[in-house]
Amino acid sequence: MVERISAGLEALGIPSPGAAATLSRYGELLIEKNKVMNLTAITEPDQVADLHFLDCAALLTIGGERAVSFRDKSLIDVGTGAGFPGLPLRILEPSLSLTLLDSLGKRVTWLEEVCSGLGLEDVRCIHARAEEQALQKGWRDAFDIATSRAVADLRLLCELCLPYVKVGGVFLAMKSTDCDQELSAAGRGIQLLGGRVQAAWDYTIPGTDVTHRVVVIEKTSPTPRGYPRRWAKIQKAPL
């Protein structure tokens, strides 16, 4: 796995002294834990390298000269699951201040074990529901970057993620390339939550023919009080 990750990072133009080996170890821990806990449907090592690690790594390079800078930034990965994309980004950009947020306690406990095993002691792993944690003091409008790789509709993701982003920061939503209708439907809600769509970048994962899209949403004003709403309300009446 390490050779495949290393080749992919080289193709992306990402310097990776030691990072490929760390990501490979992370992959081994993921595959092993997945035997007893449902973390991923992708379990073949080369696919883990491509569809998890290199897919996440691509966020560091999308946009060319207008690429989002992760250096010395704070990032919250909302609904992080098995740690994607937050943990690979932290491994590749050590200056990143990372918070992993997930609603399933077992996953959070495992992520803490992974971070400890990989020597990433400064990563915060938080067990909480996104719509509830965003209402806690010190969390709202607090992060330079929010990310989500969840398959949920963009209208829902924006309400869960944008409240965490400070004005001038960005929410990066990892989506498929056929999300045009979804993006159009989310326009009103994005504006209401204090954001605007800055760009939608398509990228191909190195060594594959798989193309994904990241929607870059800039936070232009504070999210109004009352958002995010309760989860049942978010689901029932998306913005």
Side-chain angles (χ1 to χ4, degrees), residues 65 91 117 136 172:
E65 293 182 357
I91 291 168
Q136 300 302 310
L172 305 178

Side-chain angles (χ1 to χ4, degrees), residues 94-105:
S95 71
L96 188 67
S97 174
L98 176 64
T99 299
L100 301 174
L101 178 70
D102 199 85
S103 62
L104 187 62

Side-chain angles (χ1 to χ4, degrees), residues 26 37-40 75-86 98-112 123-134 139 143 147-151 157 160-161 164:
Y26 177 14
M37 182 189 298
N38 183 23
L39 293 168
T40 177
L75 184 150
I76 183 168
D77 190 14
V78 179
T80 188
F84 304 119
L98 176 64
T99 299
L100 301 174
L101 178 70
D102 199 85
S103 62
L104 187 62
K106 291 181 179 179
R107 281 199 294 254
V108 173
T109 297
W110 178 73
L111 286 169
E112 290 174 335
V123 176
R124 290 193 299 176
C125 301
I126 305 297
H127 173 216
R129 295 188 62 86
E131 73 277 12
E132 295 173 356
Q133 192 66 22
W139 289 80
F143 295 86
T147 54
S148 179
R149 203 172 177 235
V151 297
L157 291 178
L160 293 175
C161 296
Y164 287 103

